[in-house]
Amino acid sequence: AQSVTQLDSQVPVFEEAPVELRCNYSSSVSVYLFWYVQYPNQGLQLLLKYLSGSTLVESINGFEAEFNKSQTSFHLRKPSVHISDTAEYFCAVTRYSSASKIIFGSGTRLSIRP
Amino acid sequence: GAGVSQSPRYKVAKRGQDVALRCDPISGHVSLFWYQQALGQGPEFLTYFQNEAQLDKSGLPSDRFFAERPEGSVSTLKIQRTQQEDSAVYLCASSLNRDREGYGYTFGSGTRLTVV
């Protein structure tokens, strides 16, 4: 079975500061990894995903995540955050397979201070 | 429609009441998932459909929970004899299919169920 651990339930940062949201996963088989974002009162949106190839993946709004197989991590980073990045961020994993569910972490609430 | 539509947006039910939550996936999407998101938690998998076939219902917490997708499009999640622990946001997601590029899941905004 797969599992996801997000160690930080809340991360407060100042605007324009860098941020890292940590994610570690556990799996005995190869997996796909995702970061989803949930803005207040909205549904989940896919931020970025790692399926194969380059271990560094990027989103259109400046976030990036690096797949580290040896450390079973998929941390999310942004060099300079904006107020509009305030949201809940969920790391998720699914195994290579058809009809396989996505397993989500418990989430990290990113709050940006002006 | 352009996205996954869920209704109602909010539902308040008295304990013991039956409820039905609806999900309209994106037209043509083969896969449909239901998740339960308790306050302050990540979404928990409930069940998965591929067209009208329910391929995985391992996440349904009890036999009070039942989901269907009879024509392979709209899906309904039914909860019988609601309990306070059923209070959560119920999320629906659909996907065109699991192809090699795959996992283009689109989530709806959810139904917030409050059992009083």
Side-chain angles (χ1 to χ4, degrees):
Chain A
Q2 293 75 48
S3 66
V4 178
T5 302
Q6 292 182 250
L7 292 171
D8 307 304
S9 60
Q10 294 187 60
V11 173
V13 295
F14 287 104
E15 193 173 16
E16 298 183 3
V19 69
E20 177 180 82
L21 306 184
R22 295 181 292 169
C23 172
N24 288 89
Y25 70 93
S26 173
S27 177
S28 58
V29 298
S30 296
V31 295
Y32 297 141
L33 293 156
F34 310 85
W35 276 99
Y36 281 83
V37 59
Q38 189 172 35
Y39 298 104
N41 298 314
Q42 294 188 27
L44 288 161
Q45 300 175 32
L46 180 65
L47 188 62
L48 46 76
K49 61 185 177 184
Y50 171 77
L51 302 181
S52 64
S54 172
T55 57
L56 185 65
V57 291
E58 299 177 351
S59 72
I60 58 173
N61 58 350
F63 283 94
E64 65 179 29
E66 186 161 19
F67 170 58
N68 188 319
K69 189 174 182 179
S70 63
Q71 297 187 5
T72 60
S73 68
F74 191 55
H75 302 329
L76 181 70
R77 302 183 182 96
K78 189 170 185 179
S80 176
V81 296
H82 188 266
I83 290 285
S84 60
D85 294 324
T86 298
E88 187 99 21
Y89 291 80
F90 294 95
C91 184
V93 64
T94 189
R95 61 185 173 93
Y96 288 178
S97 173
S98 60
S100 182
K101 60 199 177 214
I102 291 180
I103 307 297
F104 287 88
S106 55
T108 297
R109 182 173 301 277
L110 178 61
S111 57
I112 314 295
R113 301 168 177 172
Chain B
V4 177
S5 177
Q6 292 188 246
S7 61
R9 187 76 175 85
Y10 301 93
K11 176 70 179 177
V12 178
K14 291 183 178 179
R15 190 171 57 181
Q17 184 180 353
D18 297 350
V19 298
L21 313 180
R22 177 186 170 102
C23 173
D24 278 276
I26 293 174
S27 179
H29 275 199
V30 169
S31 299
L32 186 146
F33 294 76
W34 282 99
Y35 283 81
Q36 179 191 58
Q37 186 176 17
L39 188 65
Q41 299 296 318
E44 297 278 347
F45 170 80
L46 292 177
T47 187
Y48 162 66
F49 289 86
Q50 189 162 16
N51 294 308
E52 68 278 3
Q54 190 173 18
L55 298 185
D56 187 346
K57 53 182 181 180
S58 61
L60 296 176
S62 76
D63 58 7
R64 297 187 294 105
F65 286 71
F66 172 76
E68 60 183 7
R69 195 186 184 196
E71 297 179 357
S73 56
V74 171
S75 177
T76 303
L77 176 67
K78 298 179 179 178
I79 309 174
Q80 298 177 324
R81 304 181 304 282
T82 52
Q83 304 294 315
Q84 283 192 316
E85 61 263 29
D86 300 335
S87 296
V89 175
Y90 290 85
L91 297 168
C92 176
S94 71
S95 172
L96 185 61
N97 208 340
R98 286 190 178 271
D99 56 20
R100 200 157 51 86
E101 299 302 316
Y103 302 97
Y105 287 73
T106 301
F107 279 85
S109 296
T111 294
R112 182 178 297 277
L113 172 65
T114 303
V115 181
V116 298

